[in-house]
Amino acid sequence: MTMRLPLNDEQKAAITTGADRVFIEAAPGAGKTTVATERFGLSRFGRARDGRGVVAVSFARSARGELDQRVRRRWGSNALRWPHKVWTLDSLHFALVQHLLRSGAITWPAGVTELQVVDTWRGHKGSWPRPVGSYIQGLWLNGTIVTIGNGNATLSEYAFSGVGPYRAHLEAGLCTHTEIRQVLGAAIAKDSGLKPIVTDFLKNTIATLIVDEVFDGNMLDLAIVYGAASTGIPTTLIGDPWQALYAFRGARPELVPQVVANLKFETLGISESFRFETTEMQTLAEALRAGQPVVVSGGPAQNCDVVLASEWARLWTAGHCVLPLSFGQASNRVDAAIALLLDHVVSQRFGVLSTFGSDAAVMLGLDPEVLRADGAAQLAPVVETLGEGTEQAAKEGFALLRSNLLELGSRSIPNLQAAKMTERYARLIRLSERLAGADVIPGLTIHQAKGREWSQVGVALSDPERARLAKGLEQDSEDDRALYVALTRARHETRLVG
């Protein structure tokens, strides 16, 4: 167990409040995770044991991982001994559906009671990239029977247009978080008759609930939180409306104030930031939050720790010293092959995985153990072949990449049409330009940067984004909130690059 850091008055008030329902609004760098960690430990060790757990949940895995580490460092590993846990909201959803199945309240196809959840259908037989609005298969709840139906895709994702392969996966106990959310959402609907079973499970298993990044929650997330709090479970909500970024995944930040008001949460704020080491950063953050016009000074990217942008394409034009962690989501095996090569380079340079490298391996049908054992040996010669970054080197490099991935056990990697292959060769040329430099810095999207901080941060902005800064940001605009997040990641300086 480690000693806690000195706390200011706002943090002390947020940590020690005795209210059963408390909403804590936290500015960037104000100690949101510190407050969540302290409240977790006080609930974990300051209450009589009754078999129920102290449970903290967050939307993103990165945020969950950070809170998990903080709790272990601050309170010791025993703090997370069962039934106490730090989960993603998806994990909580899964536990609820598993309870409905095991208790016999609902019946899964083929009578399955134990599910295996994967992140995506990408790479699974019969699935295809389906754009928003396209016809796809999904799950419905007919009374207590889970059945297959169809509808329109609400997100651009891999899904099934045919019933056969979809049913086979489901009857084998395989599903994604999308299916879990579909079933759970139907189970807690007013007319399902199953909602009391869900709320009883929450009340009987959770002694205290802490919800981090609450503004990232969607309708289902907030319904579960509302249900838990309304049953009398002491509930803490923590978040910042200025950092809500996931509307494209269904987040409903505008509903959080309604939950707070309807259930009479005590509202506290922690506003003093410990992130910003310079007056310039403190002034910038205050101006952004106040909606005042802002102009960010420019400078070279070389001295930055990271460069952020709203999209991958802009990062690839931010300078040869910037190595983005992705070209974007792969839609075919050619893109997946190049993504896997990028994953190898990123791993060698930064010691981390690229954004879509694991998805690319699934799409290519590669055995994870074979890839771990032999992948580097097969991909390193491709990097050398790219050489000086000519189109001929790119063609030779792709040919070798294709051959070596087949050696690793990948499925056929056909060439695309000539025009599309020229685009892919251009990607390999851009990658080779980064290989020539001794020092490169990572390029991340703003969504990846949320919750993180660096000393020097570069931002690559479009002309419309600069215009919005010059006008002043508005909290109700998700695009403006993304800019706010990007410009408040730095401890020392935020710099316009590219």
Side-chain angles (χ1 to χ4, degrees):
M1 187 181 301
T2 60
M3 295 295 292
R4 69 183 182 190
L5 296 173
L7 304 171
N8 62 27
D9 290 341
E10 287 181 329
Q11 292 170 329
K12 290 176 183 177
I15 291 167
T16 60
T17 177
D20 280 344
R21 300 170 185 164
V22 57
F23 165 56
I24 301 167
E25 183 173 336
K32 171 178 63 66
T33 308
T34 296
V35 170
T37 300
E38 292 298 311
R39 286 189 67 78
F40 187 99
L42 292 178
S43 297
R44 166 70 174 89
F45 296 108
R47 50 174 291 279
R49 298 181 181 180
D50 60 9
R52 298 180 299 162
V54 177
V55 178
V57 294
S58 189
F59 175 83
R61 290 177 181 173
S62 57
R64 187 219 69 82
E66 174 66 18
L67 182 55
D68 182 286
Q69 292 178 9
R70 293 279 196 97
V71 168
R72 292 179 189 276
R73 287 199 301 265
R74 171 68 178 94
W75 297 101
S77 58
N78 283 343
L80 292 177
R81 179 177 294 176
W82 188 89
H84 312 288
K85 57 187 75 75
V86 179
W87 267 356
T88 61
L89 282 160
D90 279 337
S91 295
L92 178 58
H93 297 163
F94 175 67
L96 291 168
V97 171
Q98 281 284 188
H99 172 69
L100 291 171
L101 289 172
R102 291 168 180 169
S103 66
I106 63 175
T107 302
W108 194 267
V112 171
T113 57
E114 299 295 328
L115 300 175
Q116 177 186 351
V117 183
V118 295
D119 288 335
T120 175
W121 287 119
R122 184 182 296 111
H124 291 83
K125 183 179 179 180
S127 69
W128 299 92
R130 310 298 293 167
V132 174
S134 61
Y135 174 92
I136 60 170
Q137 300 296 322
L139 293 186
W140 300 83
L141 198 59
N142 293 329
T144 61
I145 307 299
V146 178
T147 61
I148 299 173
N150 56 68
N152 294 322
T154 57
L155 293 174
S156 178
E157 60 184 339
Y158 272 68
F160 299 87
S161 57
V163 174
Y166 188 47
R167 182 182 299 279
H169 290 309
L170 295 173
E171 292 182 349
L174 194 67
C175 67
T176 71
H177 294 291
T178 297
E179 282 75 27
I180 294 294
R181 288 190 286 266
Q182 288 171 342
V183 171
L184 183 58
I188 65 172
K190 291 182 180 179
D191 58 352
S192 74
L194 298 170
K195 190 173 182 178
I197 300 175
V198 173
T199 54
D200 282 348
F201 179 78
L202 293 170
K203 184 168 59 177
N204 293 332
T205 58
I206 300 178
T208 300
L209 179 64
I210 299 171
V211 184
D212 190 20
E213 303 288 7
V214 66
F215 288 95
D216 289 337
N218 58 28
M219 285 282 289
L220 176 61
D221 300 328
L222 295 177
I224 296 298
V225 170
Y226 194 99
S230 62
T231 63
I233 297 173
T235 302
T236 298
L237 309 180
I238 306 176
D240 180 5
W242 270 99
Q243 297 184 70
L245 298 186
Y246 292 99
F248 72 99
R249 291 182 181 173
R252 298 291 300 276
E254 74 279 5
L255 297 183
V256 174
Q258 296 179 29
V259 174
V260 170
N262 290 346
L263 293 181
K264 296 180 172 57
F265 276 74
E266 178 185 33
T267 299
L268 299 170
I270 49 176
S271 57
E272 181 183 352
S273 178
F274 297 91
R275 173 177 299 163
F276 308 129
E277 300 173 348
T278 62
T279 302
E280 289 77 10
M281 279 304 307
Q282 184 68 48
T283 301
L284 172 63
E286 292 173 354
L288 290 169
R289 207 173 182 94
Q292 298 173 359
V294 166
V295 177
V296 181
S297 60
Q302 284 86 346
N303 296 329
C304 295
D305 299 305
V306 68
V307 173
L308 309 178
S310 57
E311 55 188 21
W312 293 112
R314 189 161 298 282
L315 288 167
W316 285 101
T317 63
H320 293 175
C321 65
V322 180
L323 176 59
L325 301 194
S326 178
F327 284 107
Q329 197 169 71
S331 59
N332 54 65
R333 289 197 290 274
V334 171
D335 288 344
I338 296 174
L340 200 64
L341 180 65
L342 176 61
D343 185 68
H344 167 74
V345 173
V346 167
S347 176
Q348 295 294 310
R349 290 298 180 103
F350 304 135
V352 299
L353 299 178
S354 68
T355 303
F356 296 115
S358 58
D359 289 348
V362 171
M363 185 180 292
L364 293 166
L366 293 170
D367 185 302
E369 292 186 5
V370 173
L371 186 59
R372 279 193 295 269
D374 303 325
Q378 295 286 356
L379 294 171
V382 179
V383 174
E384 295 179 8
T385 303
L386 292 179
E388 297 297 324
T390 64
E391 183 172 351
Q392 182 59 34
K395 292 180 178 179
E396 293 174 0
F398 179 77
L400 182 59
L401 173 62
R402 181 175 178 276
S403 174
N404 287 6
L405 288 177
L406 292 174
E407 286 288 330
L408 286 171
S410 176
R411 298 190 293 268
S412 173
I413 307 173
N415 284 325
L416 299 176
Q417 295 176 349
K420 292 185 177 180
M421 281 308 302
T422 299
E423 295 175 10
R424 273 58 183 188
Y425 295 144
R427 291 185 182 181
L428 293 175
I429 292 171
R430 287 196 291 272
L431 178 56
S432 69
E433 290 169 345
R434 274 76 181 170
L435 297 173
D439 296 316
V440 289
I441 57 178
L444 283 67
T445 62
I446 296 170
H447 286 83
Q448 291 179 307
K450 183 180 175 181
R452 302 173 66 180
E453 63 180 56
W454 297 266
S455 180
Q456 306 274 354
V457 174
V459 290
L461 305 181
S462 65
D463 289 340
E465 288 171 333
R466 299 185 197 195
R468 294 208 306 276
L469 284 177
K471 179 183 177 182
L473 302 183
E474 298 180 2
Q475 183 183 303
D476 291 340
S477 165
E478 179 161 13
D479 289 338
D480 284 6
R481 295 196 299 266
L483 287 176
Y484 175 82
V485 168
L487 271 66
T488 55
R489 299 305 93 196
R491 295 189 295 269
H492 186 77
E493 180 187 18
T494 297
R495 178 187 304 167
L496 190 64
V497 303

